[in-house]
């Protein structure tokens, strides 16, 4: 049976959080609390149920979440999305499930009318989906990170043209 991508349901929450926890246990750049972040985002105003997706292969083997953020400068605020986190069960990694989740989530976000996505992630992985350094648009992270890992993507042509500022994440990211 091929892997199915579907919207996460409330019945999936506990399984999803356990999967997220397991996926980040051995991650090099992790505080091992990504599952808590998922829980906090779900209870915040940044949560978009249609963009919290699971990959199912008899059981949940992957999860991705896009949530609301803003790009803010002195005179303008623009809505965007954060891709965080994405998780694949440790025994299912390196099989294309993460790519499938990202591709599906970006397509769904565009269908819902969102115009851009921000990600803090591996500089060799995310560009294959169309992400570029956010600094190309003069978009900055609210915390100190190397420019090569802080990336943005336009879901619609020129969505970030003339946009600049600092990304403002939901409070759920800082609790």
């Amino acid at each position: 049976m091929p892997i199915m991508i579907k919207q996460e349901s409330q019945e999936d929450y506990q399984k999803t959080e356990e999967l997220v926890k397991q996926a980040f246990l051995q991650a090099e750049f992790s505080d091992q609390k990504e599952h808590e972040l998922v829980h906090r985002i779900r209870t915040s105003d940044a949560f978009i149920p249609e963009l919290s997706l699971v990959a199912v292969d008899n059981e949940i083997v992957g999860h991705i979440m896009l949530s609301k953020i803003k790009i803010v400068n002195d005179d303008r605020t623009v809505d965007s999305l954060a891709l965080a986190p994405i998780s694949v069960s440790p025994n299912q990694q390196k099989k294309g499930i993460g790519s499938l989740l990202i591709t599906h989530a970006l397509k769904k976000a565009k269908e819902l009318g969102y115009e851009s996505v921000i990600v803090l992630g591996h500089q060799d992985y995310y560009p294959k989906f169309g992400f570029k350094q956010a600094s190309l648009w003069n978009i900055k992270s609210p915390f100190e990170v190397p420019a090569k890992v802080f990336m943005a993507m336009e879901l619609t042509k020129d969505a970030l043209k003339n946009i600049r500022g600092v990304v403002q994440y939901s409070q759920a990211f800082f609790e």
Side-chain angles (χ1 to χ4, degrees), residues 5 12 16 30 44-45 50 68 77 83 102 113 115 127 158 165:
I5 306 296
D12 297 329
T16 300
S30 169
S44 77
D45 60 358
E50 299 87 351
K68 296 175 191 173
T77 298
L83 189 167
I102 292 169
E115 296 187 338
D158 295 330

Side-chain angles (χ1 to χ4, degrees), residues 108-116 155-156:
K108 184 69 175 173
K110 185 174 181 171
E111 287 171 4
L112 292 172
Y114 292 96
E115 296 187 338
S116 64
L155 296 175
T156 58

Side-chain angles (χ1 to χ4, degrees), residues 31-126:
D31 63 2
Q32 278 74 47
K33 294 183 179 179
E34 286 80 3
H35 62 291
E36 294 174 15
L37 173 62
V38 168
H39 180 78
R40 289 193 308 268
I41 291 172
R42 280 197 204 109
T43 59
S44 77
D45 60 358
F47 183 56
I48 307 164
E50 299 87 351
L51 295 177
S52 184
L53 307 172
V54 290
V56 181
D57 182 15
N58 294 323
E59 63 181 3
I60 294 173
V61 295
H63 174 258
I64 190 170
M65 182 178 274
L66 299 177
S67 59
K68 296 175 191 173
I69 59 171
K70 296 187 179 302
I71 302 168
V72 180
N73 70 30
D74 295 337
D75 59 349
R76 189 172 179 195
T77 298
V78 176
D79 292 330
S80 188
L81 296 171
L83 189 167
I86 178 168
S87 311
V88 176
S89 180
N91 64 346
Q92 296 293 317
Q93 292 178 3
K94 308 281 190 230
K95 296 181 179 180
I97 296 169
S99 293
L100 195 61
L101 282 163
I102 292 169
T103 302
H104 196 89
L106 294 174
K107 181 176 181 248
K108 184 69 175 173
K110 185 174 181 171
E111 287 171 4
L112 292 172
Y114 292 96
E115 296 187 338
S116 64
V117 180
I118 304 290
V119 68
L120 175 61
H122 199 282
Q123 72 267 11
D124 296 329
Y125 183 70
Y126 289 95

Side-chain angles (χ1 to χ4, degrees), residues 107-173:
K107 181 176 181 248
K108 184 69 175 173
K110 185 174 181 171
E111 287 171 4
L112 292 172
Y114 292 96
E115 296 187 338
S116 64
V117 180
I118 304 290
V119 68
L120 175 61
H122 199 282
Q123 72 267 11
D124 296 329
Y125 183 70
Y126 289 95
K128 69 181 177 182
F129 302 101
F131 285 93
K132 299 175 184 172
Q133 288 185 23
S135 60
L136 294 172
W137 292 281
N138 204 16
I139 297 170
K140 297 175 176 38
S141 169
F143 31 79
E144 194 71 31
V145 296
K148 64 185 177 184
V149 301
F150 191 69
M151 294 172 266
M153 177 182 182
E154 294 175 315
L155 296 175
T156 58
K157 184 172 172 32
D158 295 330
L160 295 174
K161 186 177 180 179
N162 302 319
I163 303 297
R164 63 178 178 78
V166 177
V167 170
Q168 185 178 75
Y169 288 92
S170 158
Q171 189 59 40
F173 281 82

